[in-house]
């Protein structure tokens, strides 16, 4: 059986990666599996452990890092995030296409690992229509303090500079449109992987 694709969606905080990812995951024809990340961040209202994230303590997270359990990991505005490796490998071996939705530092590590191992990766970078639009989106969420919002916005500026490392750059002007464009990309890449 052909190994499944590894697909990364990245981009600055607030660009709408989560919203776009949820629309993509609803399309069952793509046969995608979502890689659930581990984080030390506190769960937001409505977020569920084992569905949105695996919420862990700092000690547990560090233990997983020390054990080499994570494909990548990064600190992001005071919290740690990482991708459990075994789950991703297992699914890809079963021929499933695995989708990661992660921030740019972690994505950089995955891109480097894949390059080293000659492993194909479909890398997609989401960009906002403007910085003002990005700020509006982060503020609208109303889940973060002003200090955290400011930190996320300043980080977004440097994160945008990473876009040239990705195979595809997609504008998130309207979630459904961006998701449709990404679905087309994934379909094309699946066809090439099966050829
Ligand atoms: P949030 O706290 O808003 O859920 O996520 C903050 C940032 O961390 C977002 O840019 C999100 O895409 C990213 N993120 C989520 N899971 C992971 C992960 O496993 N690894 C990395 N590097 N970033 C992640």
């Amino acid at each position: 059986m052909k190994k499944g694709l590894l697909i990364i969606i990245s981009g600055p905080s607030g660009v709408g990666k989560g919203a776009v990812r949820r629309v993509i995951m609803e399309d069952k024809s793509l046969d995608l599996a979502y890689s659930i990340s581990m984080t030390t961040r506190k769960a937001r209202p409505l977020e569920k452990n084992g569905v949105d994230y695996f919420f862990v303590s700092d000690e547990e997270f560090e233990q997983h890092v020390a054990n080499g359990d994570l494909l990548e990991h990064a600190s992001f505005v005071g919290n740690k995030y990482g991708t459990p490796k075994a789950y991703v490998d297992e699914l890809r071996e079963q021929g499933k296409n695995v989708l990661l939705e992660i921030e740019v530092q972690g994505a950089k590590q995955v891109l480097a690992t894949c390059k080293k191992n000659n492993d194909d990766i479909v890398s997609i970078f989401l960009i906002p229509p403007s910085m003002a639009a990005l700020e509006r989106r982060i503020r609208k969420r109303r889940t973060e303090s002003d200090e955290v919002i400011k930190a996320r916005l300043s980080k977004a500026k440097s994160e945008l500079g990473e876009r040239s490392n990705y195979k595809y750059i997609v504008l998130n002007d309207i979630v459904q449109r961006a998701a449709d464009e990404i679905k087309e990309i994934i379909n094309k890449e699946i066809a090439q992987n099966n050829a």
Side-chain angles (χ1 to χ4, degrees), residues 17 37 41 44 53 72 81-83 101-103 106 152:
K17 296 189 290 293
S37 299
R41 172 167 74 62
R44 294 179 183 137
Y53 282 106
E72 59 73 36
Y81 298 83
T83 303
E101 181 236 297
I102 61 178
E103 56 72 61
R152 285 189 177 225

Side-chain angles (χ1 to χ4, degrees), residues 15 20 124-130 137 163 168-179 181-182:
V15 75
V20 170
I124 301 164
F125 194 88
L126 268 185
I127 54 168
S130 64
R137 278 184 203 164
R163 70 177 92 177
Y168 301 97
I169 296 173
V170 174
L171 173 71
N172 187 20
D173 46 358
I174 299 166
V175 172
Q176 186 65 53
R177 196 211 61 77
E181 186 178 336
I182 293 175

Side-chain angles (χ1 to χ4, degrees), residues 29-131:
S29 74
L30 293 171
D31 200 21
L32 291 177
Y34 174 59
S35 158
I36 301 166
S37 299
M38 195 174 282
T39 184
T40 60
R41 172 167 74 62
K42 295 270 168 296
R44 294 179 183 137
L46 302 180
E47 280 185 334
K48 285 200 175 70
N49 190 33
V51 176
D52 300 285
Y53 282 106
F54 294 107
F55 296 98
V56 297
S57 66
D58 216 59
E59 293 70 34
E60 282 173 275
F61 193 96
E62 286 309 322
Q63 194 56 57
H64 285 293
V65 172
N67 292 348
D69 295 339
L70 303 178
L71 175 62
E72 59 73 36
H73 60 97
S75 286
F76 187 88
V77 196
N79 294 301
K80 292 170 188 167
Y81 298 83
T83 303
K85 187 175 182 302
Y87 184 64
V88 172
D89 289 346
E90 203 178 294
L91 286 166
R92 289 185 72 201
E93 288 305 330
Q94 291 167 13
K96 280 261 187 195
N97 303 309
V98 180
L99 182 74
L100 307 188
E101 181 236 297
I102 61 178
E103 56 72 61
V104 293
Q105 289 310 315
K108 211 171 175 174
Q109 294 167 37
V110 180
L111 291 173
T113 306
C114 287
K115 200 169 172 187
K116 201 173 85 193
N117 298 340
N118 228 347
D119 186 9
D120 267 349
I121 183 161
V122 182
S123 57
I124 301 164
F125 194 88
L126 268 185
I127 54 168
S130 64
M131 281 310 285

Side-chain angles (χ1 to χ4, degrees), residues 181-192:
E181 186 178 336
I182 293 175
K183 282 197 254 179
E184 253 178 59
I185 291 170
I186 294 174
N187 269 320
K188 188 183 82 183
E189 291 278 352
I190 290 174
Q192 280 171 8

